[in-house]
Amino acid sequence: MHCDRFAHIDIIDSGSGIPPEIQTRIFEPFFTTKSVGRGSGLGLETVRRIVENRHHGMLSFESHSGRTCFTICLPLTKEDSRYSLAK
């Protein structure tokens, strides 16, 4: 991801990864892989909404077995928030 005019934050873990069959759904409201009562499915959806709508940034991820990386790009200035991020 290209983040020249943006603060670039990576959050990486070395877990089992996000299975490919659910990767397109992880930002959906109320989507969870946890059992009933163990998660609301709103965490990633809330993060994405805050990053994109409130801060005019971008949230993305890459995942495979042994590594998942979430990337947040936030504009450095109010002026920069008018520029779109190159994907």
Side-chain angles (χ1 to χ4, degrees), residues 7-20:
H8 179 130
I9 304 155
D10 286 334
I11 299 103
I12 301 169
D13 79 12
S14 58
S16 60
I18 301 168

Side-chain angles (χ1 to χ4, degrees), residues 58-75:
M58 183 174 181
L59 173 63
S60 63
F61 76 96
E62 293 180 1
S63 184
H64 53 80
S65 182
R67 184 178 190 275
T68 297
C69 177
F70 282 86
T71 300
I72 300 171
C73 289
L74 299 172

